[in-house]
Amino acid sequence: IPRGVDLEQFNPGAVSPARIINLAKEWRLPDDGPVIALPGRITSWKGQHLLIDALSRLQAENRLPGNWRCLLIGPKAPGSSYPDALESRVMSRGLAGHIQIIDDCLDMAAAYMVTDAVVSASTRPEAFGRVVAEAQAMGRPVVAPAHGAAPEIIVPGVTGWLFTPSDSVSLGKAIERAVSLTAD
């Protein structure tokens, strides 16, 4: 559905436990730590580098549970060196084993269900921000920049958290709040 969310597909009740379990096993996700995801094309303006910096700071300050995982989910542009730069950034920040780049996913509804928080970190304002709306439809806490459409679809502290665009410190604080939520 262009510029919208298919609520039949992105419906938590429509995702079987088997789909969730299979994806968690395929991606080797921990049972005992939060899973953070940034779905979107692997391109610099989607802000994966910003998320890595925020998570690096949180990890260095011991503000994340020990067994956390971050999934960067999306297709890589053919011939782009950006995915290699992201891998280097992960390694140089000592985050190997915590951050996983997943070259696309055919079951995004199940992918949302294996996460505890979903991040949109776009460095440029987006007119719609499908990731935010899809994650909300799946009942997932959302962290997004305070620009573009995100402030129109997130009620801060209620349906998600907004951070100062392109600010890894602000992003880190929002992530910390999102992953500290209890089931209640």
Side-chain angles (χ1 to χ4, degrees):
I1 299 174
R3 298 288 180 217
V5 175
D6 181 347
L7 295 179
E8 288 183 25
Q9 177 183 357
F10 292 99
N11 171 353
V15 181
S16 70
R19 285 170 57 194
I20 297 167
I21 292 166
N22 288 340
L23 203 53
K25 283 182 182 178
E26 179 184 338
W27 292 343
R28 297 183 179 109
L29 299 179
D31 290 332
D32 58 345
V35 176
I36 302 157
L38 190 159
R41 288 182 310 282
I42 306 295
T43 181
S44 63
W45 77 272
K46 289 293 188 176
Q48 291 94 350
H49 61 283
L50 186 69
L51 178 57
I52 292 167
D53 292 349
L55 293 171
S56 175
R57 182 173 285 109
L58 290 174
Q59 178 75 2
E61 296 171 1
N62 292 314
R63 293 173 28 214
L64 285 171
N67 205 14
W68 63 273
R69 184 75 57 87
C70 177
L71 308 172
L72 305 178
I73 306 168
K76 300 173 186 173
S80 171
S81 63
Y82 185 64
D84 294 332
L86 289 176
E87 290 282 358
S88 294
R89 193 178 208 108
V90 167
M91 298 302 278
S92 71
R93 305 276 194 296
L95 299 176
H98 285 291
I99 297 179
Q100 214 172 317
I101 298 175
I102 297 170
D103 189 19
D104 218 353
C105 172
L106 298 177
D107 191 354
M108 280 307 299
Y112 286 121
M113 293 302 290
V114 301
T115 66
D116 297 288
V118 175
V119 175
S120 169
S122 297
T123 58
R124 299 189 316 226
E126 294 189 82
F128 175 60
R130 187 179 320 231
V131 165
V132 172
E134 287 175 352
Q136 287 178 328
M138 297 305 289
R140 293 299 175 250
V142 179
V143 173
H147 64 188
E152 296 174 15
I153 56 179
I154 292 177
V155 178
V158 178
T159 61
W161 293 268
L162 296 171
F163 68 92
T164 304
S166 298
D167 182 337
S168 66
V169 173
S170 179
L171 172 56
K173 289 177 184 177
I175 291 169
E176 186 176 18
R177 286 189 294 273
V179 299
S180 69
L181 288 178
T182 64
D184 291 339

